[in-house]
């Protein structure tokens, strides 16, 4: 049979293709450094004032671009939080997607586990964007609609004595 030579222009374009994610995700950050000096009521009333949308993530490449340029969780200041939520869902209980939800958390002593928290946060984010945190349906497929999806986002909280990683769910 005749040999065909690869088309160099199509080979070059394959190099620049991105790997899309099943869902788009949004990274949020807050660092209310004055949290400690305010009363619990004041913190509740002003929550969200320090919340900043960092970036939308649509592909594997965009995720790594973000991850390689953020401060590692082990070095975040006290009271800082990272939130990685599905696009269109805000990291707040008031968001309708979180309204009936709950969360699963793991809390680690900050100094004792400083080296492990960065890896735990990375693996948690990768599991989220890779849709590995969703409960498989009877057909072992990904949910077909946003309403069928259980996980809304993941959170990292840096506190003075501990770090907490949480998975937010749409249904408790």
């Amino acid at each position: 049979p005749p040999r065909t030579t690869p088309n160099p222009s199509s080979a070059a374009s394959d190099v620049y293709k991105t790997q899309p994610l099943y869902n788009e995700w949004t990274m949020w950050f807050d660092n209310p450094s004055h949290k400690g000096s305010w009363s619990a009521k004041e913190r509740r009333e002003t929550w969200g004032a320090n919340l900043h949308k960092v970036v939308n993530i649509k592909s594997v490449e965009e995720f790594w671009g973000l991850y390689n340029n953020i401060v590692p969780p082990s070095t975040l200041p006290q009271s800082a939080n990272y939130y990685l939520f599905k696009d269109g869902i805000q990291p707040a209980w008031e968001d309708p997607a979180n309204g009936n939800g709950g969360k699963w958390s793991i809390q680690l002593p900050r100094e004792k586990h400083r080296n492990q928290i960065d890896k735990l946060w990375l693996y948690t984010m990768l599991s989220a964007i890779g849709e590995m945190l969703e409960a498989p349906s009877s057909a072992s497929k990904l949910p077909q609609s946003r309403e069928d999806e259980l996980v809304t986002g993941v959170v990292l909280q840096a506190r003075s004595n501990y770090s907490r990683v949480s998975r937010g769910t749409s249904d408790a």
Side-chain angles (χ1 to χ4, degrees):
R3 292 185 125 179
T4 59
T5 57
N7 180 345
S9 64
S10 69
S13 66
D14 286 347
V15 171
Y16 300 107
K17 286 186 180 176
T18 60
Q19 306 303 309
L21 300 175
Y22 184 77
N23 279 299
E24 292 181 20
W25 295 79
T26 302
M27 177 65 110
W28 302 78
F29 175 74
D30 76 350
N31 183 17
S33 56
H34 54 272
K35 261 187 186 177
S37 62
W38 287 17
S39 70
K41 181 182 178 192
E42 289 171 320
R43 287 192 303 266
R44 277 192 307 275
E45 290 172 353
T46 61
W47 188 91
N50 295 303
L51 185 64
H52 302 284
K53 186 176 184 176
V54 177
V55 68
N56 285 351
I57 303 166
K58 300 176 187 173
S59 69
V60 172
E61 293 79 6
E62 289 175 348
F63 169 79
W64 286 112
L66 166 75
Y67 182 76
N68 290 325
N69 289 288
I70 61 172
V71 173
S74 62
T75 61
L76 283 175
Q78 178 181 334
S79 299
N81 303 292
Y82 283 141
Y83 307 88
L84 182 64
F85 274 70
K86 289 181 179 168
D87 192 43
I89 300 176
Q90 290 199 354
W93 292 114
E94 295 78 14
D95 190 293
N98 299 321
N100 294 322
K103 69 177 180 177
W104 292 77
S105 299
I106 183 170
Q107 187 169 297
L108 302 170
R110 189 163 176 152
E111 289 307 315
K112 184 176 180 183
H113 295 282
R114 187 172 290 275
N115 295 334
Q116 289 90 1
I117 195 64
D118 295 340
K119 194 175 285 188
L120 176 61
W121 179 237
L122 171 61
Y123 291 166
T124 301
M125 290 190 300
L126 288 171
S127 296
I129 68 169
E131 307 298 333
M132 299 305 297
L133 299 176
E134 289 292 337
S137 66
S138 59
S140 294
K141 295 181 179 177
L142 289 171
Q144 298 303 305
S145 69
R146 178 65 64 95
E147 292 75 31
D148 296 333
E149 294 177 353
L150 181 63
V151 174
T152 56
V154 293
V155 179
L156 176 111
Q157 298 171 295
R159 299 297 180 263
S160 60
N161 296 324
Y162 63 87
S163 295
R164 180 185 299 143
V165 175
S166 304
R167 172 181 89 169
T169 61
S170 61
D171 188 20

